[in-house]
Amino acid sequence: AYAGGLRTLLRAFKFHAREELDRDLSARLARVIARLAIYEELDALVPVPTCWQHRLHRPFHPATALARQTARRCHIPYAPLLVRTGGGPHQLGLSHTARQQNVRGRFKLTRGCAVPGARLLLLDDVMTTGATAGECARVLKAAGADEVHVAVIARAGDDPATLRHV
């Protein structure tokens, strides 16, 4: 759950440029991933990308930093297969429907990448409604990925009905 000490840690990581926290957070994530039944079958770990405008305001991108460290720890190839095609408003404070509309069509496969038959693990820092993960998974599946699983450090909200299987 995105609460308590974990929330404090993630907010420091994301909003206060505490990039060194990626080691602790990726270690937590790697322990969980290594216990998954699908672990041995994963072809790559894919970060949820951010747009270039957001990168101008932050010295690093949390999902990318986490994905690199986690991939290293899990011995899974790191694969930045997605790019975000536009900014748009932040997801913070938007309803589930508004979040889905906000990210629809905002991601595409990186030029020159192919994923036919791939079993991928999409990684992000926090999941609220699953709209971003769902859109990323949709793009990867449309490009031919057989499976797209999602891993996050924390899940915001305590209503399981607001989350969906992606």
Side-chain angles (χ1 to χ4, degrees):
Y2 185 57
L6 184 57
R7 183 174 193 265
T8 301
L9 189 67
L10 276 166
R11 289 184 62 76
F13 178 60
K14 286 179 69 155
F15 303 116
H16 301 290
R18 297 282 311 277
E19 190 173 1
E20 76 279 2
L21 295 174
D22 68 345
R23 290 185 287 282
D24 178 50
L25 294 169
S26 67
R28 292 174 187 220
L29 201 50
R31 283 192 298 272
V32 173
I33 291 168
R35 292 192 310 256
L36 297 175
I38 59 161
Y39 173 65
E40 297 291 330
E41 301 169 3
L42 293 170
D43 295 311
L45 197 148
V46 181
V48 169
T50 190
C51 67
W52 67 270
Q53 293 102 328
H54 293 169
R55 286 193 305 265
L56 291 176
H57 301 290
R58 286 188 184 167
F60 78 107
H61 179 241
T64 299
L66 273 176
R68 281 191 181 123
Q69 281 283 355
T70 304
R72 224 175 282 137
R73 289 178 184 276
C74 290
H75 307 288
I76 300 170
Y78 169 77
L81 297 173
L82 296 169
V83 293
R84 186 165 177 143
T85 60
H90 285 280
Q91 297 283 71
L92 190 65
L94 298 179
S95 70
H96 178 68
T97 302
R99 284 171 179 257
Q100 286 179 312
Q101 292 169 350
N102 190 38
V103 296
R104 188 71 169 170
R106 299 261 187 206
F107 300 96
K108 68 179 183 176
L109 205 61
T110 301
R111 184 175 300 185
C113 289
V115 296
R119 293 160 303 206
L120 305 171
L121 182 62
L122 182 68
L123 191 137
D124 205 354
D125 49 6
V126 178
M127 179 188 282
T128 304
T129 65
T132 300
E135 182 65 7
C136 289
R138 186 190 67 74
V139 169
L140 292 166
K141 297 276 284 193
D146 276 355
E147 299 174 14
V148 179
H149 303 273
V150 178
V152 295
I153 292 289
R155 202 171 76 185
D158 53 9
D159 181 4
T162 63
L163 297 170
R164 62 186 187 81
H165 184 72
V166 290

